[in-house]
Amino acid sequence: MYVVEGPENGYTSIPVAMYWATVTMTTVGYGDITPHTNLGKAIASFMMLLGWGILAVPTGIVTAEMTMRHRAAPARPDRRCPTAPAPATRPRRSSARIAAALP
């Protein structure tokens, strides 16, 4: 950006251009330095998309993997807290007994 935009557009040194690139890639975008030429805007657009890609693509991959592992895991109905009291058990009612009890 220092070479493309130059000092007249706010990129007074290479560290300032690196600061702009870091701010853009981390999607903070303070707006204190903005590109003014068409080539600078094209580079800025690419950097913004790259910043989103760095965030969105790994997030999607990790989420898909977690979902796949969660679905593939066997159900564990016997899993309980060891310090909690045992749940109270009730006799199961059959649907015929429930239907007979209704008016």
Side-chain angles (χ1 to χ4, degrees):
M1 291 303 282
Y2 174 73
V3 173
V4 173
E5 291 288 325
E8 62 274 2
N9 290 317
Y11 298 93
T12 56
S13 64
I14 292 176
V16 170
M18 291 175 63
Y19 160 78
W20 170 85
T22 303
V23 167
T24 301
M25 291 218 19
T26 57
T27 68
V28 175
Y30 294 121
D32 54 348
I33 302 173
T34 57
H36 295 281
T37 64
N38 289 333
L39 182 58
K41 289 178 182 180
I43 292 171
S45 298
F46 175 74
M47 295 289 283
M48 289 177 215
L49 292 173
L50 184 63
W52 275 107
I54 288 172
L55 292 172
V57 171
T59 302
I61 291 170
V62 169
T63 303
E65 184 67 24
M66 289 173 63
T67 302
M68 189 173 64
R69 288 184 185 217
H70 178 71
R71 288 183 181 167
R76 296 177 61 180
D78 60 332
R79 194 170 162 188
R80 285 190 225 120
C81 177
T83 58
T89 56
R90 294 185 291 170
R92 296 186 63 116
R93 295 176 133 186
S94 69
S95 59
R97 287 177 51 200
I98 294 172
L102 295 175

